[in-house]
Amino acid sequence: KRVAVFISGSGSNMVRLAEAAQADDFPAKIVAVIADKPDAKGLDKARAHGIPAYALARKDHDSKSAHEQAMLDVLADVRPDFICLAGFMRLLSADFIRAYEGRIINIHPSLLPLFPGLNTHQRAIDAGMRIAGCTVHFVTEGMDEGPIIGQAAVPVQPGDDAAALAARILTVEHRLYPAALRRLAAGDVRMENGQAVFAENA
Ligand code: GRF
């Protein structure tokens, strides 16, 4: 299967997906990385892995739909089966999502449905959570509310600040996302009628 990864920043999750996809038995190949920020550090990391990387800056387009059309034009060439959002800090329109219905996934740094949106680590600490974590989910029109594919949890330690918790969660993100993409590309999970459906023996 062909996978495009969308990033906005460091791209550490994208790197882990690219590394996992190098395994012979991995059912997907990362065929493109698209960043909405031209200075995204992940662009050079993608190129270092031999992956075509496209900087499609939002500011180069006079509207959200023109920017999305630029991304769709690249995707028309790249022909991905799936799109992985990895540290991608932009909401995609309903039209864009419909064009790739059930084929876009995202990693969010909280145990959804808790803490959708931003500043998830500080909010978990402020709420007194004793565990926190991350979620890989199908992308639907609402923000961070699509059907869940997988989750990973870590303890919140006394004295944690947001940075310490973020770092602890990032280590499990880097294991969860490749595992989730493997299952998606292998057909062990798919989205049907807005629900995640798992193959019985997966
Ligand atoms: C990660 O916490 C991820 O969960 C969130 O963006 C952060 C940075 O990701 N979506 P990356 O290092 O750019 O992959």
Side-chain angles (χ1 to χ4, degrees):
K1 295 297 183 190
R2 300 171 59 84
V3 173
V5 183
F6 286 19
I7 64 170
S8 296
S10 71
S12 74
N13 276 291
M14 175 275 298
V15 168
R16 293 304 185 294
L17 295 176
E19 288 170 347
Q22 282 165 350
D24 293 345
D25 69 340
F26 199 83
K29 180 175 173 355
I30 312 298
V31 295
V33 170
I34 292 180
D36 64 328
K37 298 238 174 38
D39 55 351
K41 293 277 179 296
L43 286 167
D44 283 342
K45 294 176 188 171
R47 293 174 184 128
H49 280 81
I51 301 168
Y54 303 80
L56 299 176
R58 170 65 183 83
K59 65 179 180 342
D60 292 349
H61 302 274
D62 53 16
S63 70
K64 178 186 176 78
S65 58
H67 182 234
E68 288 197 346
Q69 191 54 55
M71 293 192 284
L72 290 168
D73 291 348
V74 168
L75 294 174
D77 282 344
V78 163
R79 301 182 337 285
D81 298 292
F82 298 108
I83 296 171
C84 291
L85 309 184
F88 186 65
M89 304 310 282
R90 193 167 295 281
L91 287 180
L92 296 169
S93 70
D95 286 345
F96 189 109
I97 292 166
R98 255 194 295 276
Y100 284 87
E101 186 84 50
R103 299 193 290 150
I104 309 175
I105 64 175
N106 179 46
I107 188 159
H108 177 77
S110 81
L111 293 171
L112 291 172
L114 288 176
F115 313 121
L118 299 174
N119 302 318
T120 60
H121 307 306
Q122 191 55 55
R123 290 158 64 197
I125 291 167
D126 293 348
M129 297 293 291
R130 303 320 309 154
I131 61 165
C134 51
T135 301
V136 176
H137 63 94
F138 286 104
V139 172
T140 52
E141 293 167 33
M143 179 182 68
D144 300 332
E145 62 176 29
I148 291 171
I149 295 169
Q151 296 188 298
V154 299
V156 179
Q157 305 286 15
D160 268 345
D161 61 5
L165 184 53
R168 191 173 309 120
I169 290 172
L170 204 56
T171 65
V172 294
E173 289 183 35
H174 291 164
R175 288 200 293 271
L176 177 69
Y177 215 173
L181 178 57
R182 177 188 282 275
R183 297 174 75 187
L184 178 68
D188 292 340
V189 64
R190 65 190 181 283
M191 193 169 97
E192 228 167 67
N193 306 322
Q195 302 296 320
V197 175
F198 296 86
E200 44 291 341
N201 53 6

